[in-house]
Amino acid sequence: MPDNPTAPVILGNEPGSFPHGVLAERHPAIIRQVREAFPYEPRQQRALDALLANCTEGEVEPLPADAHDRELWEAWGMDAHAGRSWYDVPWLWSESWFYRRLLDAVGYFGPGPWQGIDPFRPSKLAELHSPATDEELAALDDLAARPAQEQARALLHGSLWGNRADLSFRLSAEGAEETTPVPGLVADDSERLWSLLEAAGGGTLCLVADNAGRELVPDLLLVAHLLAHGRIGRAVLHVKPHPYYVSDATPADVVDALRRLTDAGGAAAGYGRGLWTALSEGRLTLRAHPFSCSPLPYDRMPDDLRADFAPAAVTLVKGDLNYRRLVGDRHWPPTTPFADVTAHFPGPVAALRTLKSDVITGLAPETEAALVAAEGQRWRTGGTHALIQVRA
């Protein structure tokens, strides 16, 4: 990332900061969870111990010479960061590096019997098949009786809030929070999003997915609705090529979610069958580009990925991590215009995101002031606020 004195890159070396807590506390906890999820062999146990020591107290060590993606990581800054503390390199980079090394430790890239075994799959499936997911899918039966516009609005909010999707179906409550001093939705360009889709006349929607499980399901429901009602003619779903950030969606997670829908019965099954058919007919396409697991912002995306996004009527970027990559993982002043920090993106782009990290742009001054007055800086990371931002 180029130097920007008004918005420095976020590092993890400030004790007490949110990024420092992720590196010092969350990553060790993830190692423990992964260790407990599978009966890993002694070699993997030793590798996990080594990763724990390295990520908390050591320095960045380059990938082995025979690593299948060494050249990619060299291009993504591995050699420049080698020998430095994980806390002193860009936080976005060190987070991504952690997951790359974690997959190495458990033998994901092989060769060997553990090759291709997703270390996060048990938690993904547990969430996908939870009673809460049953309740959310059952709510689709009531939603099906609503006018198409109301369905679209509810499904958009379901996609926005992810695993709080149950709130999105309470249409009678919509707008109530707008009268509160600090609304849950701190920026709302949803009407601009609908206008973009209307103007596209059945064009292509790119959706850059975030998490699997109960967060991927509402994303798929939104795509299914838009396809079924002719709001878009085609959808391209960008997912991760391999496990990443614990719960990020991979192609296997998409298949799991579709099966969950089709097995659910009722309206949910109808959505699932529609998506299954759309995939088989090419109206829904999966992409799993290597850059999706890179430690860089989207202004560094390669030309082939840029060409994927360019012709879309709109690219919908989901979730907190993708937002950080879209606008740049920097200490932006919150009132920095969203259009300015996304000018690099090839085509219209929209962000749907709950706030779970420090990065924020595009707030009205009075909104920022109300948030700070009510919550200090906790509103940035607690996941209790969200935004819909559009740059046409």
Side-chain angles (χ1 to χ4, degrees):
M1 300 181 193
D3 290 337
N4 185 333
T6 63
V9 171
I10 294 177
L11 306 178
N13 57 7
E14 182 182 343
S17 68
F18 184 75
H20 188 278
V22 169
L23 296 176
E25 299 169 15
R26 184 181 297 178
H27 286 177
I30 289 169
I31 292 174
R32 289 193 297 272
Q33 291 166 7
V34 166
R35 188 193 300 270
E36 293 168 0
F38 288 95
Y40 286 125
E41 300 170 12
R43 179 191 62 80
Q44 293 157 301
Q45 299 281 357
R46 290 191 296 270
L48 288 169
D49 288 340
L51 176 60
L52 177 60
N54 183 247
C55 73
T56 54
E57 302 173 5
E59 299 172 340
V60 173
E61 299 173 356
L63 293 173
D66 60 350
H68 75 282
D69 54 352
R70 183 183 170 93
E71 288 187 5
L72 276 177
W73 279 94
E74 287 174 342
W76 294 342
M78 178 181 69
D79 291 342
H81 296 319
R84 301 174 65 190
S85 166
W86 291 53
Y87 295 87
D88 292 333
V89 302
W91 181 43
L92 179 63
W93 200 95
S94 58
E95 275 198 290
S96 297
W97 184 244
F98 170 79
Y99 290 100
R100 173 60 183 84
R101 298 315 303 249
L102 180 63
L103 293 182
D104 257 349
V106 298
Y108 179 86
F109 293 117
W114 294 90
Q115 185 175 23
I117 302 297
D118 183 348
F120 309 122
R121 183 168 172 78
S123 59
K124 290 177 178 178
L125 290 179
E127 181 181 284
L128 187 61
H129 293 280
S130 68
T133 303
D134 290 334
E135 294 174 8
E136 290 164 9
L137 295 182
L140 292 170
D141 293 336
D142 293 332
L143 187 64
R146 308 275 185 139
Q149 287 287 89
E150 289 190 20
Q151 292 181 40
R153 190 162 63 248
L155 292 171
L156 177 66
H157 281 260
S159 179
L160 169 66
W161 287 105
N163 60 15
R164 295 177 60 192
D166 56 312
L167 301 180
S168 72
F169 300 122
R170 301 176 189 173
L171 296 180
S172 61
E174 281 191 3
E177 66 176 14
E178 295 173 5
T179 62
T180 64
V182 185
L185 199 56
V186 299
D188 185 5
D189 292 341
S190 54
E191 291 308 315
R192 295 183 68 195
L193 176 58
W194 296 127
S195 296
L196 277 177
L197 292 171
E198 192 73 28
T204 296
L205 169 73
C206 285
L207 194 153
V208 181
D210 185 31
N211 292 328
R214 287 174 61 204
E215 297 196 33
L216 179 60
V217 166
D219 294 345
L220 292 172
L221 294 174
L222 176 62
V223 168
H225 177 89
L226 295 175
L227 284 169
H229 289 81
R231 302 292 289 268
I232 56 174
R234 180 170 174 264
V236 181
L237 183 64
H238 287 258
V239 295
K240 304 300 191 294
H242 55 70
Y244 191 60
Y245 275 70
V246 180
S247 56
D248 280 30
T250 67
D253 298 320
V254 175
V255 175
D256 286 339
L258 290 179
R259 287 180 173 146
R260 180 71 171 90
L261 286 170
T262 56
D263 292 344
Y271 281 109
R273 288 191 296 269
L275 289 165
W276 197 281
T277 299
L279 265 172
S280 65
E281 294 176 348
R283 291 180 292 115
L284 173 59
T285 306
L286 298 184
R287 291 278 192 274
H289 196 284
F291 189 78
S292 297
C293 290
S294 88
L296 303 177
Y298 272 105
D299 65 3
R300 301 276 300 277
M301 78 176 82
D303 290 342
D304 62 332
L305 186 56
R306 184 173 292 274
D308 260 0
F309 291 135
V314 62
T315 295
L316 195 57
V317 175
K318 275 295 309 297
D320 194 77
L321 172 61
N322 288 325
Y323 186 87
R324 291 164 58 194
R325 298 187 68 199
L326 176 64
V327 305
D329 203 34
R330 295 177 176 273
H331 291 288
W332 296 108
T335 56
T336 303
F338 178 73
D340 289 358
V341 294
T342 57
H344 63 86
F345 201 85
V349 63
L352 265 65
R353 172 224 184 182
T354 52
L355 277 56
K356 298 177 183 176
S357 67
D358 291 311
V359 178
I360 184 70
T361 68
L363 292 192
E366 58 272 19
T367 301
E368 182 196 2
L371 288 164
V372 173
E375 304 178 29
Q377 296 300 323
R378 293 189 304 276
W379 59 273
R380 293 174 177 260
T381 59
T384 56
H385 298 283
L387 56 79
I388 304 172
Q389 293 176 322
V390 175
R391 192 222 76 208

